[in-house]
Amino acid sequence: MLDEANFEQRLAILEQTVADIKHQVIDAPTYSNWLEKIIGSISDESAFLEALEYGRSLHHADILTEETGEQL
């Protein structure tokens, strides 16, 4: 069983940790939606840019398919 001094020390550390977390939450920027939070976070990654280009090509192919009435 823990002695009282050890218990008090652990409790003080726990209370300080909770206070630090509260300050981080309070000081964190607020976003109106989740997209604002991630915009720009990975835009310089080559894999992201490749996926973005792939999405654009699929979107463009869908537009062409709708215009011609053909299926790919």
Side-chain angles (χ1 to χ4, degrees):
M1 189 161 243
L2 295 175
D3 61 19
E4 192 171 328
N6 192 5
F7 177 77
E8 292 292 330
Q9 180 183 16
R10 291 181 67 182
L11 181 60
I13 291 170
L14 180 61
E15 288 174 338
Q16 183 60 50
T17 302
V18 170
D20 292 344
I21 292 171
K22 281 184 176 180
H23 287 293
Q24 289 175 2
V25 169
I26 290 170
D27 294 340
T30 57
Y31 300 99
S32 60
N33 68 41
W34 64 271
L35 187 57
E36 288 180 12
K37 185 176 180 179
I38 63 165
I39 289 176
S41 63
I42 57 172
S43 62
D44 61 340
E45 296 290 327
S46 61
F48 174 76
L49 296 175
E50 184 179 340
L52 198 58
E53 183 57 35
Y54 181 69
R56 283 188 188 119
S57 66
L58 287 175
H59 179 71
H60 184 69
D62 285 343
I63 290 172
L64 291 177
T65 301
E66 289 174 3
E67 289 175 356
T68 62
E70 298 175 3
Q71 270 190 322
L72 296 177

